[in-house]
């Protein structure tokens, strides 16, 4: 019988899918959303909508002000890149780390989730990263996930006692299209999610940032319409 799982829930389609998958696997889902100073803060509202729709056991929101450090256009340092050249549907400069990278973000978020998981006695920590359709962030790579999984066995009491919280990245090897198809199978309402890095005042996606374009590519390849674009919000 599955136990408890802490899911990092950003409000995006990947984290929503990962949370729904954890629920289908029989885990009791606890959702953690971090308000870290992101300029696209309406994703916090999306996380609340997703958490409510999934019926998570508890949804915790934390405030960690990474704007004090800066270093990312997602924290207000510089403009959000738009209309970057694409090759085969992906950024042409895929090897370059874009300005939307938030220094050590996933390390920070996973550390917070790991702390809560230890308090809860949770066996699993779920993150919706994927290494295929992504923007080049180093902390989305399988090597990083594997390293953090090892860290959990060293940095916590439960790890030292031989029962570490295991990191689960179930979408790691899936394309955006495959994630969307999986989400449809799981009954995820993607109209509740938010992906855009630079939404308008009404929360509507810009359609031009990397996140919007990767999302659009995923829905196109999945042969599905994005409900977020047709929904009146």
């Amino acid at each position: 019988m599955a136990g408890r799982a802490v899911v990092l829930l950003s409000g995006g389609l990947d984290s929503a899918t990962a949370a729904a998958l954890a629920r289908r696997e029989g885990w009791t889902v606890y959702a953690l959303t971090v308000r870290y100073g992101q300029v696209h803060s309406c994703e916090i509202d999306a996380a609340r909508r997703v958490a409510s729709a999934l019926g998570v056991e508890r949804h915790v929101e934390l405030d960690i002000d990474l704007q004090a450090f800066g270093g990312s256009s997602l924290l207000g340092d510089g403009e959000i890149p738009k209309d970057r050249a694409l090759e085969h549907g992906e950024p042409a400069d895929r090897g370059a780390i874009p300005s939307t990278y938030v220094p050590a973000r996933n390390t920070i978020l996973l550390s917070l989730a790991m702390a809560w998981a230890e308090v809860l006695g949770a066996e699993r920590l779920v993150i919706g990263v994927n290494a295929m359709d992504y923007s080049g962030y180093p902390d989305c790579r399988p090597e990083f996930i594997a390293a953090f999984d090892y860290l959990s066995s060293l940095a916590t009491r439960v790890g030292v006692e031989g029962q570490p919280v295991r990191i689960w990245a179930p979408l790691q090897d899936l394309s955006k299209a495959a994630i969307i198809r999986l989400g449809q199978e799981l009954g995820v309402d993607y109209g509740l999610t938010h992906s855009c890095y630079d939404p308008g005042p009404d929360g509507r996606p810009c359609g031009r940032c990397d996140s919007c374009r990767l999302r659009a590519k995923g829905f196109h390849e999945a042969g599905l319409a994005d409900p977020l674009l047709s929904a009146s919000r």
Side-chain angles (χ1 to χ4, degrees):
M1 180 177 177
R4 297 175 174 182
V6 174
V7 179
L8 281 171
L9 189 66
S10 69
L13 69 84
D14 294 339
S15 68
T17 306
L21 185 58
R23 186 184 63 174
R24 188 184 72 175
E25 294 293 307
W27 297 90
T28 300
V29 174
Y30 292 76
L32 176 62
T33 300
V34 180
R35 186 184 295 99
Y36 57 84
Q38 60 269 55
V39 293
H40 56 309
S41 59
C42 57
E43 72 173 2
I44 305 299
D45 292 329
R48 293 172 185 154
R49 294 192 295 268
V50 172
S52 177
L54 292 177
V56 303
E57 188 72 13
R58 187 181 174 197
H59 183 203
V60 167
E61 297 178 23
L62 288 182
D63 289 291
I64 304 293
D65 185 14
L66 296 184
Q67 282 190 348
F69 296 157
S72 170
S73 55
L74 287 191
L75 298 173
D77 280 359
E79 298 294 322
I80 302 291
K82 301 282 184 68
D83 303 318
R84 292 207 297 160
L86 298 179
E87 290 180 2
H88 310 296
E90 296 178 0
D93 58 346
R94 181 179 170 87
I97 299 175
S99 68
T100 49
Y101 163 68
V102 178
R105 177 178 59 184
N106 282 346
T107 302
I108 295 166
L109 302 188
L110 282 169
S111 296
L112 294 169
M114 183 170 65
W116 190 27
E118 186 170 25
V119 171
L120 290 171
E123 298 93 344
R124 183 167 289 192
L125 201 169
V126 185
I127 184 170
V129 296
N130 72 92
M132 295 184 68
D133 286 342
Y134 78 119
S135 295
Y137 302 144
D139 53 2
C140 288
R141 296 175 301 159
E143 301 96 311
F144 168 76
I145 298 300
F148 202 97
D149 187 59
Y150 176 62
L151 173 68
S152 72
S153 68
L154 302 176
T156 61
R157 181 177 64 190
V158 291
V160 171
E161 292 175 349
Q163 296 181 310
V165 181
R166 303 311 306 264
I167 314 303
W168 190 42
L171 314 182
Q172 191 164 248
D173 299 319
L174 300 182
S175 67
K176 195 68 75 181
I179 292 168
I180 291 167
R181 292 190 197 101
L182 173 61
Q184 185 183 44
E185 176 190 330
L186 294 169
V188 176
D189 181 357
Y190 287 125
L192 302 177
T193 66
H194 178 87
S195 299
C196 181
Y197 288 154
D198 192 24
D202 60 353
R204 296 281 293 180
C206 71
R208 298 169 56 202
C209 67
D210 284 358
S211 188
C212 277
R213 299 178 83 189
L214 288 172
R215 178 173 173 132
K217 172 177 175 281
F219 273 98
H220 175 75
E221 292 181 352
L224 298 169
D226 185 348
L228 191 61
L229 299 182
S230 56
S232 57
R233 302 177 60 197

